[in-house]
């Protein structure tokens, strides 16, 4: 997934949202790119977030030109001109590493120690913010899951005349037996008022 964020003054095109991956992440990445260009002493910047079990790989750039497909973390796109300097910094906060941010300058003299320090500070701030946005999204999802499961538990209790513990056990065992996530089972119960099989699975007698 590639998102191009035009530079100031450039023709503006609609920018796809990545909020379906983590609400607010698209705005965070826009802000980081703007800060990178202003405070990183470079002409454009590129962020590459690695794919995880939960999130897809994302590449965003402040360069309006088409960007290459995402590459492994630490491997930035080759400069489009020989008269170009590149400085890459890992987006890491504590034990979490999200990807890499690359700073590109339209000269061949490289980045000074001061410029590198500024780039590293921007990278740390960006990593902390990305981590916070994702944590908030995961917490919101967890709260939503708990709410749906509680609703489904109440429905199972009422329909099948079970206590709370037994009703939750029915949902959990059905999830395991059918290899379906608990929140998906709960959602189906809330919508239909029934387990997909129409009745709770009872334990077999020894």
């Amino acid at each position: 997934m590639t998102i191009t964020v035009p530079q100031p003054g450039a023709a503006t095109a609609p920018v796809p949202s990545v909020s379906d991956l983590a609400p607010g992440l698209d705005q965070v990445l826009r802000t980081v790119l703007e800060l990178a260009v202003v405070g990183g002493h470079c002409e454009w910047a590129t962020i590459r977030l690695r794919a995880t079990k939960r999130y897809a790989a994302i590449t965003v750039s402040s360069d309006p030109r088409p960007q290459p497909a995402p590459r492994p973390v630490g491997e930035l796109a080759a400069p489009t001109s020989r008269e170009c300097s590149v400085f890459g910094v890992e987006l890491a906060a504590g034990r979490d590493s999200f990807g890499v941010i690359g700073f590109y300058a339209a000269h061949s003299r490289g980045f000074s120690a001061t410029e590198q320090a500024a780039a590293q500070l921007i990278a740390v701030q960006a990593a902390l913010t990305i981590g916070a946005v994702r944590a908030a999204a995961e917490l919101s999802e967890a709260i939503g899951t708990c709410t749906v499961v509680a609703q489904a538990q109440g429905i199972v209790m009422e329909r099948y005349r079970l206590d709370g513990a037994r009703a939750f056990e029915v949902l959990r065992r059905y999830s395991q037996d059918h290899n379906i996530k608990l929140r998906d089972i709960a959602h189906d119960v809330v919508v239909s008022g029934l387990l997909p099989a129409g009745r709770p699975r009872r334990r077999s007698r020894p």
Side-chain angles (χ1 to χ4, degrees):
M1 182 178 190
T2 301
I3 300 175
T4 298
V5 181
Q7 292 175 327
T12 301
V15 178
S17 173
V18 294
S19 290
D20 55 325
L21 302 178
L25 182 58
D26 49 353
Q27 185 58 49
V28 167
L29 297 180
R30 289 172 183 266
T31 301
V32 170
L33 289 174
E34 293 173 359
L35 179 61
V37 172
V38 174
H41 305 282
C42 64
E43 275 62 50
W44 77 92
T46 297
I47 297 173
R48 289 194 173 85
L49 301 183
R50 65 158 59 95
T52 67
K53 292 181 179 180
R54 178 181 291 267
Y55 301 106
I58 302 173
T59 298
V60 294
S61 177
S62 62
D63 186 354
R65 292 170 293 184
Q67 294 294 305
R71 300 189 180 198
V73 171
E75 183 182 344
L76 296 174
T80 55
S81 169
R82 293 183 180 180
E83 295 298 319
C84 182
S85 299
V86 184
F87 182 63
V89 186
E90 184 179 9
L91 291 169
R95 296 182 179 180
D96 296 323
S97 178
F98 304 106
V100 64
I101 179 171
F103 299 80
Y104 296 79
H107 55 69
S108 58
R109 61 175 175 79
F111 287 80
S112 68
T114 299
E115 292 169 341
Q116 290 182 28
Q120 290 168 343
L121 179 59
I122 291 171
V124 170
Q125 294 173 333
L128 290 171
T129 305
I130 291 170
V133 168
R134 286 184 170 179
E138 292 164 14
L139 177 60
S140 177
E141 180 182 340
I143 292 174
T145 296
C146 289
T147 300
V148 172
V149 171
Q151 292 174 343
Q153 184 179 1
I155 292 172
V156 172
M157 289 171 63
E158 181 180 359
R159 179 167 293 275
Y160 301 109
R161 299 182 183 280
L162 302 173
D163 61 24
R166 182 72 178 105
F168 181 79
E169 178 68 9
V170 166
L171 294 171
R172 187 185 67 82
R173 287 179 63 85
Y174 195 96
S175 172
Q176 292 178 342
D177 292 349
H178 293 79
N179 194 28
I180 303 174
K181 291 182 178 179
L182 180 60
R183 67 170 179 265
D184 293 335
I185 293 294
H187 178 268
D188 289 344
V189 171
V190 170
V191 171
S192 68
L194 295 169
L195 287 169
R199 60 184 177 82
R201 295 173 59 89
R202 299 187 182 278
R203 293 178 180 172
S204 300
R205 293 183 179 179

